[in-house]
Amino acid sequence: LITFTIFGENYRAEKGMTWSEWVASEYNTGGYSLNDSGYVCLGTSNCVEEYDSDEPISGLVEIKANTMYSHGDYVSG
């Protein structure tokens, strides 16, 4: 398993897992989901992005081990 951080919370995933696979897995203990645009979000606008980035993470992207992710205010549409 790999570890990563979202907004200060530690999470685990299987190596090579994409974000959409993680969202549908038991490792998603934070309640994240994919929004209508395919981005990983907590609620409707708190989307996951790499630290110091303003681009939301697509569910098709592979999770990077030992990476800090944050929340960004992204609203689709």
Side-chain angles (χ1 to χ4, degrees):
L1 294 177
I2 61 169
T3 59
F4 60 98
T5 304
I6 305 174
F7 207 62
E9 294 291 324
N10 294 320
Y11 294 96
R12 296 183 305 168
E14 295 174 16
K15 186 176 182 181
M17 192 175 252
T18 65
W19 280 97
S20 60
E21 291 170 332
W22 180 81
V23 162
S25 77
E26 69 273 12
Y27 302 114
N28 176 13
T29 57
Y32 288 88
S33 61
L34 295 180
N35 71 6
D36 291 342
S37 298
Y39 298 124
V40 181
C41 300
L42 184 62
T44 57
S45 64
N46 285 328
C47 294
V48 176
E49 54 190 37
E50 284 197 48
Y51 192 74
D52 288 338
S53 170
D54 59 358
E55 294 295 320
I57 298 281
S58 165
L60 302 176
V61 173
E62 187 175 310
I63 298 170
K64 296 178 186 176
N66 303 315
T67 301
M68 289 183 5
Y69 295 94
S70 60
H71 286 162
D73 293 327
Y74 174 81
V75 179
S76 60

